[in-house]
Amino acid sequence: MPRHYREACLSKHLLFWVQASEEDIKDAYERATEAFRLGKHSDPSLKEAAESNIEIIRKAFEVLSNPRLRAAYDELGEEGLNTKWEVGHRVKTPQETRDEYARIAKEKQQMELENLVRSRNDIVINVNASRVFGYYSSPTSFRVPVKKSRLERVLGSLRRTEVMQLYMKNSFQTQLGPRTQVILGSNMTSLSGIGGGSLTGTIQHTFSDRLSMEFGASLLNPGVSVIKATYNIDPDTYVSGTVFTKQLQGPTPLVMTLGRRIAKGATGYVTYRTGEWAIGSWGLAPEDRHQFSSMSLGIRSLGTKDNYQVELQAGVVQSHLMADRTWTIDDSTRIRVGTKMSSLAGLSANIGGDRRVTEHTKLGLAVELALSGGVAFNIRVMRLGQSVTIPILLSTDFNTKFAFWAAVAPLCALAALDFGLIKPRSRRRRADKLRELRKVHAEFIAKQRNEAEEAIRLLRDSTTRKMKQEQEKHGLVIVEAAYGNLNAGIVADVTIAVQALVNKSQLVMPGGHSKNHILGFYDPCLGEKKQLRIRYEFQERMHEVVVADMDHVALPIRSHIVSS
């Protein structure tokens, strides 16, 4: 059962969340023990239930008023209370202790994930379809031309498609220790019937929080090796260097980068590439070099949703200005737009996106336009670390007609696929999953409902008295409160539980946690989105508010007034 559905949630019995201050904890403890005081209940069964709740409240107060135990519970739940930890020094502050527990939990989870061997495969198939869409004249024939059907003409055009290049890359990554990883990779290329391949090995090691290094080498001829190091000068600044060697035919090409965080989520960087160079007679002659020196200045953002990058490069052979932006539309869809002005290739642009079509499969479509390179359309399918990319060259020259249809047709096809197949199937799967969850958790929900009803019986008398006091002074009176899936009508009546939280004509529910942890609440629809609807009177005027399960609640508020 998920952690937040476990029976014994200590904070639930104090009518607040674990983020509360020490004063809030003490105040909630006093109010909770007063509500369950044994002398208030004449029914023996209610007395037994009240005694049990008081014992749990005392235990909760001991945990949440102890900084070390509270830190363990905040980060690890009840498991943190039942485990012997040797963390930090006795004089550490509560925040330092909490950070230490968080670090241990994070490292433990990371180790469990990284101990698995991860595999990745990439296949790229470059297709030339320019002769399919462009003008093509067949060889001259003296025979009488034969009239062909539309289907035959289409099939004849498709036969003019050719595969220009095939590229395959495979890698396996495994963890040798807490700070060391090994990656074995291979790649194969076939171009116009001529192929080649290589086998590489890479070792990555983190020496400290500041220094990490990587060493890679080709295990087949020609021998090429790479050494890379990254050093964090401070939390906002880093420097990295990469050295390439190839049979020591000359001085090794170097790539050096200095980066610094200049805004929240944004890093500025400067990169210098030496290219291939020579010292006297040691090194390649200028006419034999393939890599040339350049300097780049840029800024990039790697946020959780929207990313962007802008870069200006000045080089001996090529200079360019590049910019691209990625938007995350929802949990399944991303859109990317980019442009580049190069001294060699001129102006080019691209637009594309990807969408999750199944739980583990993504489909990506993109269009690339270049004034000097024509129009190309890319299709990419990704699933569990495996990807297949098919760039299709539609025209070797820039053509506005191809550019328009290459952009519009995929969008229309993707929209039709989304609305006609993906979304209906997702809705059906979600409905089936919800029905299964309701069936599987029926017994658990019933048990939680019984516990909530028992708590409400205990709170009823004290809450009724509190409600009368609020009515006499025209204060905050909860008329009705419902919690659950409001649209589907699967809700729990939590009117008394909410009224019990009212203190001095005010109601505050901190956000960030599910409200099913409140005493007198339970989750009537596991796995579904829940809301809380509260109708209340204040100063003889009716109010109403609907909030999401994890949102903060504060009453009364003038904007909640219901128009008469």
Side-chain angles (χ1 to χ4, degrees), residues 20-84:
S21 65
E22 294 183 5
E23 293 182 0
D24 292 335
I25 293 174
K26 186 176 180 180
D27 181 62
Y29 172 69
E30 293 175 352
R31 287 190 286 113
T33 52
E34 175 64 20
F36 291 118
R37 193 155 50 85
L38 297 180
K40 292 184 176 182
H41 307 287
S42 57
D43 190 331
S45 62
L46 292 180
K47 279 190 175 182
E48 183 179 350
E51 185 177 359
S52 174
N53 277 275
I54 288 175
E55 182 63 29
I56 296 177
I57 289 171
R58 286 174 181 167
K59 180 181 178 182
F61 181 71
E62 291 175 0
V63 170
L64 297 176
S65 59
N66 184 311
R68 294 179 62 81
L69 294 178
R70 184 179 178 184
Y73 179 73
D74 286 355
E75 297 297 335
L76 304 172
E78 292 177 66
E79 182 181 353
L81 305 178
N82 301 324
T83 306
K84 294 182 180 179

Side-chain angles (χ1 to χ4, degrees), residues 215-471:
F215 175 77
S218 174
L219 306 181
L220 301 176
N221 289 327
V224 178
S225 61
V226 179
I227 301 175
K228 181 178 180 180
T230 301
Y231 181 76
N232 296 316
I233 300 174
D234 56 47
D236 296 328
T237 310
Y238 74 92
V239 60
S240 67
T242 305
V243 179
F244 301 89
T245 64
K246 184 178 179 180
Q247 298 178 350
L248 296 179
Q249 297 177 350
T252 59
L254 305 175
V255 178
M256 293 165 285
T257 299
L258 173 64
R260 180 172 177 81
R261 185 169 60 184
I262 57 178
K264 184 178 180 180
T267 300
Y269 62 91
V270 178
T271 300
Y272 174 66
R273 299 174 178 86
T274 65
E276 295 172 330
W277 53 296
I279 300 177
S281 61
W282 183 41
L284 296 175
E287 61 271 15
D288 296 328
R289 297 173 188 173
H290 301 284
Q291 302 177 27
F292 300 91
S293 64
S294 64
M295 176 77 78
S296 301
L297 175 65
I299 179 174
R300 60 171 172 260
S301 169
L302 298 177
T304 56
K305 288 188 175 181
D306 299 338
N307 304 326
Y308 64 86
Q309 182 176 6
V310 179
E311 181 181 278
L312 174 64
Q313 174 179 300
V316 173
V317 174
Q318 175 179 307
S319 300
H320 69 246
L321 174 63
M322 177 270 293
D324 65 64
R325 179 71 185 269
T326 301
W327 292 272
T328 300
I329 306 301
D330 52 40
D331 294 338
S332 303
T333 309
R334 292 189 308 171
I335 300 295
R336 180 179 181 273
V337 176
T339 184
K340 183 177 181 180
M341 173 67 78
S342 172
S343 59
L344 291 181
L347 179 64
S348 62
N350 63 81
I351 180 172
D354 58 71
R355 168 124 180 128
R356 182 180 291 109
V357 294
T358 66
E359 184 178 1
H360 302 294
T361 304
K362 285 185 177 182
L363 173 64
L365 302 175
V367 178
E368 296 182 3
L369 313 172
L371 293 180
S372 61
V375 181
F377 177 60
N378 290 350
I379 303 174
R380 190 180 188 192
V381 180
M382 298 155 283
R383 179 178 173 84
L384 298 175
Q386 322 301 310
S387 71
V388 177
T389 305
I390 307 177
I392 304 174
L393 180 62
L394 302 180
S395 174
T396 55
D397 300 318
F398 181 76
N399 187 303
T400 55
K401 180 178 67 175
F402 282 128
F404 175 79
W405 287 111
V408 172
L411 292 177
C412 295
L414 193 58
L417 179 66
D418 189 33
F419 290 102
L421 176 64
I422 298 175
K423 286 187 176 179
R425 184 172 61 181
S426 298
R427 287 193 291 266
R428 289 194 301 269
R429 288 183 175 180
R430 178 172 175 78
D432 293 341
K433 186 176 181 179
L434 290 178
R435 283 194 293 269
E436 183 180 354
L437 281 173
R438 292 169 185 170
K439 183 178 180 180
V440 170
H441 296 301
E443 182 178 349
F444 175 77
I445 293 175
K447 183 177 181 180
Q448 294 293 301
R449 182 174 60 249
N450 292 336
E451 292 180 356
E453 291 174 350
E454 181 183 81
I456 288 174
R457 288 197 299 271
L458 292 171
L459 294 170
R460 189 180 300 276
D461 291 341
S462 61
T463 303
T464 301
R465 290 192 295 270
K466 180 184 295 186
M467 184 184 299
K468 290 181 179 179
Q469 294 173 359
E470 293 289 337
Q471 288 174 337

Side-chain angles (χ1 to χ4, degrees), residues 59-122:
K59 180 181 178 182
F61 181 71
E62 291 175 0
V63 170
L64 297 176
S65 59
N66 184 311
R68 294 179 62 81
L69 294 178
R70 184 179 178 184
Y73 179 73
D74 286 355
E75 297 297 335
L76 304 172
E78 292 177 66
E79 182 181 353
L81 305 178
N82 301 324
T83 306
K84 294 182 180 179
W85 300 96
E86 296 181 0
V87 177
H89 193 270
R90 291 290 181 182
V91 299
K92 282 193 173 183
T93 65
Q95 183 60 44
E96 290 173 336
T97 305
R98 182 177 286 106
D99 293 341
E100 193 77 2
Y101 283 121
R103 182 187 62 79
I104 291 176
K106 183 178 180 180
E107 288 183 356
K108 181 180 178 182
Q109 182 181 16
Q110 185 176 355
M111 281 296 297
E112 290 176 352
L113 294 175
E114 292 183 348
N115 281 336
L116 300 175
V117 176
R118 287 167 287 182
S119 172
R120 182 176 181 85
N121 296 279
D122 299 293

